[in-house]
Amino acid sequence: MRVLFISVPAASHVFTLVPLAWAFRSAGHEVLVALAERPEWATGAGLPVVDVAPGYDAVAIAQKVLEDDPEFAETWFRSVGPDRDISPRAPMFAGFNRPLVPGTMEVVDQWRPDLVVYEQTTTAGAMAAARLGVPAVQRNLGPFTTGRTHQLTA
């Protein structure tokens, strides 16, 4: 089975996928990590990687999102509410995901995974699985709920 792992380029997001990727690989499955900006995080963990957005700059993306939406910028640095729903953060996730989509879709069209595993803020992962009609697994980041995050991000 071919398993594609997808993450936004943030260390705490990428590294949550590494143990599961290795578990699949150890069980004899083909594994590929779709990532941008920091492919060495996956290769350094001994995993094959494809850079789906060469030139990606997460800091520049975050700055632009915050500059373009001052009202959102006021809320970005607040703690997630007691409901632990990350949906209000969707504008930032949209900024991070937008550049990942074209390259990720190219990878899924060419590599044809049987399963897509993505971390909670990477809506491009859900989109990739839907494109092929294959199962998807969302790896959550702690106790947070997704709510309408993917709909709002897309």
Side-chain angles (χ1 to χ4, degrees), residues 79-85 143-145:
S79 296
V80 174
D83 60 358
R84 298 192 172 141
D85 181 4
F144 303 109
T145 61

Side-chain angles (χ1 to χ4, degrees), residues 72 80 84-91 93 145-153:
F72 172 72
V80 174
R84 298 192 172 141
D85 181 4
I86 61 172
S87 296
R89 307 232 166 159
F93 303 150
T145 61
T146 306
R148 296 185 56 233
T149 300
H150 296 307
Q151 293 89 344
L152 296 170
T153 297

Side-chain angles (χ1 to χ4, degrees), residues 125-152:
M127 296 167 83
R131 184 176 183 102
L132 291 181
V134 300
V137 174
Q138 175 177 291
R139 168 63 166 91
N140 286 2
L141 302 170
F144 303 109
T145 61
T146 306
R148 296 185 56 233
T149 300
H150 296 307
Q151 293 89 344
L152 296 170

